[in-house]
Amino acid sequence: MAHDGTFASFLARSLGLLERELPWAYEAMSRALAPREVLIEVDRERVGVACASGAVRVEGAARAPAVECRTTRRAILDMIDGRSTLLEAVVSDAVSLRGSVDDLLAFHDGLMIFLGGAVRSPSFPWLLKEFRIDASAR
């Protein structure tokens, strides 16, 4: 997916980087999230994510999400930069999560694996730089 400033583009490209550069992290993340569908809403942009063991794909819409996450680019950057944990973001209402306890735990685990892989990915810094520019332009 080409860079067009959307969260969907950022997410699809970051998942692609993780799959190519750190396949072990991508596989662990997909196993943690499978077999769920996730709805992520960032600054009112809604993105569906279909999760299966071995594959995590960005889709236009989520049909039956097990987890719904609503947040902002700023809150995402706060978590990436270590200024906030997911728990702190939820408590402060910077992130809203909805789902069963098991699904929310799986989402947390998948997110932590994704972030751990992203910081180890050689290409992630340039992608994150674009995300920061896009976030400041909004």
Side-chain angles (χ1 to χ4, degrees), residues 71 75-76 78-79 84-96:
T71 191
I76 291 169
D78 286 346
M79 286 185 282
S84 174
T85 65
L86 180 58
L87 178 60
E88 290 167 341
V90 169
V91 169
S92 72
D93 289 328
V95 172
S96 171

Side-chain angles (χ1 to χ4, degrees), residues 25-36:
Y26 181 85
E27 177 63 31
M29 177 191 61
S30 70
R31 277 195 318 270
L33 292 169
R36 294 166 182 85

Side-chain angles (χ1 to χ4, degrees), residues 17-130:
L17 282 177
L18 193 63
E19 184 177 22
R20 283 188 308 277
E21 295 182 356
L22 293 159
W24 59 268
Y26 181 85
E27 177 63 31
M29 177 191 61
S30 70
R31 277 195 318 270
L33 292 169
R36 294 166 182 85
E37 187 177 27
V38 176
L39 171 67
I40 303 173
E41 183 177 318
V42 177
D43 295 324
R44 298 197 174 124
E45 178 190 349
R46 296 168 62 94
V47 179
V49 182
C51 309
S53 188
V56 178
R57 300 289 176 240
V58 174
E59 299 181 339
R63 290 175 289 286
V67 174
E68 295 180 24
C69 174
R70 287 177 177 76
T71 191
T72 63
R73 289 173 185 257
R74 179 83 269 141
I76 291 169
L77 288 170
D78 286 346
M79 286 185 282
I80 288 172
D81 293 339
R83 290 186 295 269
S84 174
T85 65
L86 180 58
L87 178 60
E88 290 167 341
V90 169
V91 169
S92 72
D93 289 328
V95 172
S96 171
L97 292 172
R98 196 171 103 190
S100 73
V101 172
D102 287 343
D103 291 333
L104 292 174
L105 288 172
F107 178 77
H108 175 269
D109 292 347
L111 179 62
M112 293 304 105
I113 295 166
F114 170 79
L115 291 174
V119 299
R120 291 169 178 81
S121 168
S123 300
F124 195 74
W126 66 262
L127 188 61
L128 186 56
K129 182 178 179 180
E130 287 179 355

Side-chain angles (χ1 to χ4, degrees), residues 3-26:
H3 174 241
D4 61 8
T6 64
F7 178 73
S9 169
F10 168 75
L11 184 58
R13 292 181 313 135
S14 63
L15 289 170
L17 282 177
L18 193 63
E19 184 177 22
R20 283 188 308 277
E21 295 182 356
L22 293 159
W24 59 268
Y26 181 85

